[in-house]
Amino acid sequence: CSLQRFFFFFFFPEINDSESHPSSSHQTLKGTSKWATSLENLLEDPEGVKRFREFLKKEFSEENVLFWLACEEFKKTQGKKQMQEKAKEIYTTFLSSKASSQVNVEGQSRLNETILETPHPLMFQKLQDQIFSLMKYDSYSRFLKSDIFLNHKKSEEQEENSPEAQTAAKRASRIYNT
């Protein structure tokens, strides 16, 4: 677990795991409504990722989303040395037979350690696609029915229907309609 936290914050320092992090789910389609349209939309929203991780942790499959996120971050890595370091970290954390958070990918798709010497941005793509499909067709649909999702949706709806939100909406309406 501590390795997972280290790994996650090493690769994703911009995603805050604390409860005090303000929701960034106020876009055109908001939070849970946007998350419910696709797994891609869910994974683009830091709050959505946080809630999905929370759900997957309860299902003992958080490593799937952590692996997917690590692969996304890996694709942005510049420089051979950094790429080698991150590739090795992904391999040892998720793919090796001794991995602390091993993901469930088809055996013939596993990489061997020699490929880590000559990394390239898409070296994990096939495995990442397998994990994405697993999440999309398995975990994601259960997440949308979970208490974590439904409670977050309910609290969003209550927030939208609060007197403060309605007053702000009326003020905005008056400003734009003048």
Side-chain angles (χ1 to χ4, degrees):
C1 188
S2 62
L3 180 61
Q4 267 186 340
R5 283 188 79 71
F6 164 78
F7 174 79
F8 190 77
F9 290 111
F10 176 77
F11 281 105
F12 309 105
E14 72 281 357
I15 297 179
N16 186 345
D17 204 22
S18 73
E19 290 299 320
S20 62
H21 190 276
S23 174
S24 60
S25 51
H26 296 288
Q27 292 124 9
T28 311
L29 259 184
K30 294 180 186 175
T32 55
S33 298
K34 189 170 184 179
W35 304 347
T37 61
S38 72
L39 178 58
E40 292 88 340
N41 284 338
L42 171 71
L43 294 172
E44 288 174 1
D45 184 340
E47 184 68 21
V49 169
K50 179 180 172 181
R51 300 298 174 180
F52 193 48
R53 283 185 63 205
E54 189 180 328
F55 169 75
L56 292 176
K57 200 177 287 186
K58 289 182 176 189
E59 290 212 333
F60 304 102
S61 59
E62 182 187 23
E63 68 277 357
N64 291 335
V65 74
L66 293 176
F67 173 72
W68 188 88
L69 291 165
C71 291
E72 284 299 292
E73 193 63 29
F74 177 76
K75 292 174 192 175
K76 301 172 193 170
T77 304
Q78 300 292 313
K80 185 177 179 184
K81 182 81 172 141
Q82 288 88 348
M83 200 173 274
Q84 283 176 324
E85 289 172 9
K86 284 190 178 188
K88 185 169 174 54
E89 186 68 35
I90 289 171
Y91 179 81
T92 58
T93 305
F94 299 108
L95 301 172
S96 107
S97 59
K98 299 173 187 167
S100 58
S101 299
Q102 192 176 44
V103 290
N104 185 15
V105 290
E106 293 176 21
Q108 70 271 19
S109 299
R110 288 198 176 278
L111 303 173
N112 64 37
E113 249 176 291
T114 57
I115 196 169
L116 299 176
E117 298 304 315
T118 55
H120 58 87
L122 300 177
M123 68 187 281
F124 298 116
Q125 190 64 53
K126 185 176 179 183
L127 302 174
Q128 184 186 16
D129 290 346
Q130 281 185 36
I131 293 300
F132 182 84
S133 290
L134 180 68
M135 291 189 301
K136 183 174 184 170
Y137 297 110
D138 186 39
S139 311
Y140 175 64
S141 58
R142 286 195 311 279
F143 170 71
L144 295 178
K145 298 171 191 163
S146 73
D147 287 344
I148 292 170
F149 176 81
L150 296 173
N151 290 339
H152 191 73
K153 183 178 180 178
K154 189 176 185 179
S155 68
E156 272 184 353
E157 289 167 353
Q158 288 171 344
E159 191 178 294
E160 287 173 10
N161 294 329
S162 72
E164 298 85 23
Q166 291 175 357
T167 303
K170 287 178 186 173
R171 265 188 306 216
S173 174
R174 280 196 303 266
I175 291 168
Y176 291 115
N177 290 328
T178 54

